[in-house]
Amino acid sequence: MQTLISRFTERCVWIAKRVCDDTDEPAAPEGGGGFPNYVMIPLHCLRIYLGTTYRMTIDLLKEMPRITREIGLEPADLPHYSTLCLAFERLDMRICRVLLGQSAQLHDTGDIAAIDATYFDRSPASRHYCRRTNYRVQTLEATKLVDTETQVILDLYCTTTWEGSDAEVCEQLARRHAGELRVLTADKGYDCNWLREDLRELGIRPLIKHCLHKPYDHAHNARIDEELYGQRSMAETVFSSVKRSLGSALRA
């Protein structure tokens, strides 16, 4: 009988092989080569599933030959825990985005989404490293599109340059999910008439409050369905949950 962890691993391997372009490489490196992404991704997923450190994850998997063989490895072939950590940091953003989309499909999401942005501080780096590489990035802005029914992150946009407005990022994310969304909620930071028009052309109803510059802005806001608009808070809830549950593992 297949166990929960076995089914989870099987699903992770299936997704990883769909998004990676190195599936023709052997799972266990030969001659000092590196481990392919389609192997490292399920290992990372298992680390999160087990809720353990990199070191403990490898130790546990050495005692789970059935699980490691589903990934394509023998227990003796498992990478060093430091190799697993470095592979996670070097994972291409393109692959991360596809994995995010694949994970969202595992949930029964609705047709109402919320969008919001927040900032993440970068992890501390030595002054010597910053001077040597001219590294000046202090924070990263992350914009998330969240399904209000399941609190699943549907899409993500990250930037360290802050080029373009929040409205332009919103339009970009909404366009990717046109046909799936019926309503999009956002705060006053996304108050642009052209954005509302573009969303309507995509078949998405914008629920974005107007900044109060003129008397008729009060009338526009009064017509908004407050109960529906209140679901916008789900985006803030997701940000809070991510920062609280992952803690120091989050870094720009």
Side-chain angles (χ1 to χ4, degrees):
M1 182 178 178
Q2 196 175 31
T3 61
L4 287 175
I5 189 172
S6 178
R7 288 198 296 270
F8 176 81
T9 306
E10 184 181 87
R11 183 68 176 180
C12 291
V13 171
W14 179 79
I15 291 176
K17 288 184 175 180
R18 290 192 63 186
V19 303
C20 297
D21 52 11
D22 55 4
T23 54
D24 56 339
E25 297 181 17
E30 300 175 359
F35 287 86
N37 284 330
Y38 77 88
V39 168
M40 303 304 278
I41 288 173
L43 291 177
H44 286 298
C45 293
L46 283 167
R47 176 181 64 84
I48 297 170
Y49 180 85
L50 295 170
T52 57
T53 62
Y54 289 101
R55 185 196 295 267
M56 184 58 68
T57 298
I58 298 301
D59 286 347
L60 288 173
L61 290 177
K62 286 181 179 179
E63 304 298 328
M64 301 179 182
R66 177 182 173 186
I67 300 301
T68 58
R69 286 167 187 152
E70 288 188 11
I71 301 174
L73 298 173
E74 292 295 330
D77 297 329
L78 285 166
H80 191 267
Y81 71 88
S82 62
T83 302
L84 183 61
C85 179
L86 289 173
F88 178 69
E89 294 181 350
R90 295 171 180 171
L91 202 59
D92 188 76
M93 187 63 185
R94 174 187 60 84
I95 295 178
C96 291
R97 184 179 296 280
V98 176
L99 286 172
L100 182 64
Q102 289 288 329
S103 65
Q105 292 179 15
L106 300 178
H107 300 267
D108 187 16
T109 56
D111 55 4
I112 303 174
I115 192 168
D116 202 1
T118 192
Y119 292 92
F120 293 94
D121 293 330
R122 72 170 177 85
S123 59
S126 69
R127 292 184 179 179
H128 171 70
Y129 173 81
C130 292
R131 286 196 300 268
R132 181 165 56 85
T133 61
N134 195 30
Y135 191 80
R136 300 180 182 277
V137 176
Q138 297 297 320
T139 56
L140 176 143
E141 183 183 19
T143 303
K144 290 180 182 177
L145 184 68
V146 176
D147 176 64
T148 60
E149 183 174 341
T150 61
Q151 288 81 63
V152 166
I153 300 173
L154 301 174
D155 212 334
L156 177 70
Y157 179 90
C158 298
T159 180
T160 59
T161 61
W162 296 278
E163 295 179 356
S165 65
D166 288 343
E168 291 172 337
V169 173
C170 178
E171 196 274 342
Q172 177 182 330
L173 296 181
R175 186 170 294 276
R176 288 179 187 161
H177 297 269
E180 303 171 10
L181 300 180
R182 180 177 60 87
V183 177
L184 179 62
T185 66
D187 61 24
K188 294 179 182 179
Y190 299 88
D191 175 26
C192 292
N193 288 330
W194 68 262
L195 174 60
R196 292 187 178 87
E197 293 173 0
D198 285 0
L199 290 176
R200 292 188 182 101
E201 289 179 1
L202 294 172
I204 301 173
R205 176 188 174 188
L207 278 184
I208 305 171
K209 285 202 171 183
H210 292 252
C211 295
L212 301 177
H213 298 303
K214 298 182 179 180
Y216 55 74
D217 290 328
H218 291 273
H220 285 309
N221 291 344
R223 288 198 296 268
I224 289 180
D225 185 330
E226 288 294 338
E227 183 176 351
L228 202 57
Y229 179 75
Q231 296 188 35
R232 183 190 63 80
S233 63
M234 290 298 101
E236 298 172 354
T237 300
V238 170
F239 274 130
S240 175
S241 177
V242 168
K243 290 183 177 182
R244 185 174 62 254
S245 61
L246 298 181
S248 61
L250 284 172
R251 57 186 177 277

